[in-house]
Amino acid sequence: DAGVIQSPRHEVTEMGQEVTLRCKPISGHNSLFWYRQTMMRGLELLIYFNNNVPIDDSGMPEDRFSAKMPNASFSTLKIQPSEPRDSAVYFCASTRTRTSGIGEYNEQFFGPGTRLTVL
Amino acid sequence: KQEVTQIPAALSVPEGENLVLNCSFTDSAIYNLQWFRQDPGKGLTSLLLIQSSQREQTSGRLNASLDKSSGRSTLYIAASQPGDSATYLCAVVSGGSYIPTFGRGTSLIVHP
């Protein structure tokens, strides 16, 4: 299994430009999460999809941010227009509900992240 | 709302020491708790997952325990090595929401 795949790994852009981050979750996983990590705020949940449907987008900072999941194997996070304060590492993670002898659990797997720098 | 706190924020120890990293959470109605490792500039790697009804999990030199009643989990690292240097994060999935809440992490340096 290739794990969660993100692209690009690094993105440098100028303020005002549109940025699109991409994620391919692990096959068979039914939930997908987008996070942002900065030194100041740590790891923040932006949006969460379950079976391709957005469930909780309360962490999306403002209307400049949007996310889609057109199918089970692909998601995008778009920032338009980008601003310097959007500079961060953006992670995608996927989970699948699994069952053991003592109950259900969700183990989360992260992609390598996209380091975004907005000048 | 679930809140997760990790203490200490940073730790520097000589090689060979046994370590305990702490994670506390405010709502004991959890689904599972997961410990991650993050190397500088990298993503998060899952280390151990403890289900709600479990008390501990072990993998090699790592042992994670869970005490829901007191809202605590500990990650025990035996015989630490320089390669253990990383940031360790715990994530608590609350029952019903299935959304993980992360602590800020403990930054660990093990020096030779």
Side-chain angles (χ1 to χ4, degrees), chain A residues 19-101:
Chain A
V19 174
T20 299
L21 311 181
R22 298 173 176 79
C23 175
K24 176 178 170 56
I26 294 173
S27 177
H29 283 199
N30 59 325
S31 296
L32 183 141
F33 300 75
W34 281 102
Y35 294 92
R36 177 171 68 178
Q37 187 178 44
T38 61
M39 289 293 292
M40 289 291 291
R41 295 187 296 271
L43 197 63
E44 303 173 279
L45 176 66
L46 300 177
I47 188 169
Y48 151 52
F49 292 86
N50 191 48
N51 294 322
N52 313 339
V53 176
I55 302 299
D56 186 342
D57 65 354
S58 59
M60 297 286 261
E62 47 198 274
D63 292 345
R64 298 184 296 106
F65 285 69
S66 62
K68 294 182 179 180
M69 191 165 186
N71 57 62
S73 59
F74 184 65
S75 177
T76 59
L77 178 68
K78 185 177 294 187
I79 308 172
Q80 166 63 22
S82 58
E83 296 182 4
R85 60 192 169 119
D86 302 330
S87 298
V89 181
Y90 290 80
F91 288 106
C92 174
S94 69
T95 67
R96 182 182 73 179
T97 301
R98 306 184 71 172
T99 303
S100 71

Side-chain angles (χ1 to χ4, degrees), chain B residues 65-83:
Chain B
S65 67
L66 175 64
D67 183 346
K68 283 195 305 179
S69 62
S70 65
R72 291 183 181 179
S73 176
T74 61
L75 179 66
Y76 177 82
I77 303 176
S80 58
Q81 304 171 356

Side-chain angles (χ1 to χ4, degrees), chain A residues 9 33 35 37-43 45 48 56 91 97 100 102-108 110-112 115, chain B residues 31-32 34 36 38 41-46 48-49 51 53-54 89 91 93 97-100 102-104:
Chain A
R9 295 294 308 277
F33 300 75
Y35 294 92
Q37 187 178 44
T38 61
M39 289 293 292
M40 289 291 291
R41 295 187 296 271
L43 197 63
L45 176 66
Y48 151 52
D56 186 342
F91 288 106
T97 301
S100 71
I102 55 173
E104 292 186 341
Y105 63 95
N106 287 344
E107 187 170 12
Q108 193 162 68
F110 277 72
R115 182 172 296 276
Chain B
Y31 190 63
N32 55 242
Q34 196 169 353
F36 292 88
Q38 185 175 26
K42 305 290 185 181
L44 281 69
T45 301
S46 179
L48 290 165
L49 181 144
Q51 292 179 247
S53 59
Q54 293 180 312
L89 297 98
V93 178
S97 76
Y98 305 113
I99 296 175
F102 281 81
R104 293 297 301 267

